[in-house]
Amino acid sequence: MEAYGVTEKQMIGVFGTYKAYDSEVAKRIPPKPKTIYQDGSCILKRIIGYMNMRRNLLFEGDRGVGKNVLTETLAWLYKRPLYEFSLNSQHDNTSLLGGKTIESDEKGRTTMGFDKESIIEAAEVGGILVLDEFNTSLAHTMSLLNSLLDERRRIQVPGYKLVEADENFVAIATQNRDYQGTFENNEATIDRFVPIIFPK
């Protein structure tokens, strides 16, 4: 971090968010990546500043500029579980949040349960959520997440409960602009992200 101009105050902000996670959740914390993001455009300092303020980020740039490498590097630096959710135009509320399931115990008794999607789990445990290919999803569907992504940091999940995001939760959306199969973003949703433009 020092090599890329990250200040001592910012580094203390990173280290100050470290916490113990449940053993199953901790398995999602990436080890040191084989390829660490090489910051040739001086954006790492800005990104760490925003993440320390619990701001969501929108990584935009062409293929191969390091968007996903940077998300993995950040999860390693922050020692947070990494959840990745690939978006497309077929997603609806159930596929974003999860849905009811029927569960049975060893005696054959059935109960109604709920199968959470990674978006909800990331919010609950305080992980980094990567919303990959953000602009391939339909704008009206993504607006479902607005209350989770703004200062309210909560979402009512039908059939489950009111989910309040852990203080370590942050979302990073990634997208390539003007590629085939992409759509215009919902303005209200996109305003909940700080845009980070990656140079070619």
Side-chain angles (χ1 to χ4, degrees):
M1 288 190 280
E2 283 181 345
Y4 295 122
V6 177
T7 66
E8 183 178 344
K9 183 178 179 181
Q10 287 177 316
M11 286 188 265
I12 290 169
V14 173
F15 303 143
T17 65
Y18 286 6
K19 70 175 193 175
Y21 289 95
D22 171 272
S23 59
E24 279 303 306
V25 172
K27 291 177 182 176
R28 287 183 165 271
I29 300 172
K32 183 177 180 179
K34 291 178 182 176
T35 304
I36 295 176
Y37 181 74
Q38 303 298 308
D39 185 15
S41 53
C42 302
I43 60 175
L44 185 63
K45 180 179 176 182
R46 283 176 44 222
I47 288 168
I48 286 178
Y50 287 129
M51 283 190 63
N52 286 350
M53 293 188 295
R54 298 192 309 181
R55 297 292 306 273
N56 303 308
L57 303 168
L58 173 65
F59 291 174
E60 184 176 304
D62 290 337
R63 287 176 295 180
V65 295
K67 299 185 296 290
N68 291 318
V69 171
L70 180 52
T71 60
E72 194 165 325
T73 300
L74 288 168
W76 168 66
L77 280 177
Y78 278 90
K79 301 289 183 269
R80 293 186 195 174
L82 182 63
Y83 294 82
E84 296 170 298
F85 195 97
S86 294
L87 293 163
N88 61 59
S89 61
Q90 303 304 309
H91 284 298
D92 58 16
N93 293 8
T94 301
S95 61
L96 289 178
L97 304 178
K100 291 182 177 180
T101 58
I102 297 175
E103 301 171 353
S104 59
D105 61 19
E106 62 278 355
K107 295 182 180 178
R109 293 177 295 205
T110 58
T111 56
M112 193 66 82
F114 190 87
D115 187 20
K116 295 179 287 189
E117 274 299 339
S118 57
I119 292 173
I120 299 305
E121 187 174 341
E124 287 184 321
V125 304
I128 294 176
L129 171 66
V130 178
L131 297 167
D132 205 21
E133 308 296 349
F134 191 69
N135 57 346
T136 63
S137 60
L138 298 177
H140 69 275
T141 303
M142 295 313 298
S143 65
L144 171 73
L145 302 178
N146 286 358
S147 65
L148 180 63
L149 299 173
D150 65 22
E151 66 279 353
R152 291 170 287 178
R153 295 175 63 82
R154 63 180 181 266
I155 185 170
Q156 183 68 51
V157 180
Y160 183 49
K161 65 178 182 178
L162 176 67
V163 172
E164 302 210 29
D166 181 271
E167 61 183 9
N168 274 358
F169 170 70
V170 67
I172 299 174
T174 67
Q175 67 179 26
N176 306 310
R177 186 169 289 278
D178 300 325
Y179 280 31
Q180 187 174 4
T182 60
F183 304 95
E184 284 296 316
N185 294 122
N186 179 308
E187 287 184 22
T189 305
I190 212 70
D191 281 348
R192 287 155 168 84
F193 293 87
V194 176
I196 304 292
I197 309 300
F198 284 65
K200 292 186 178 181

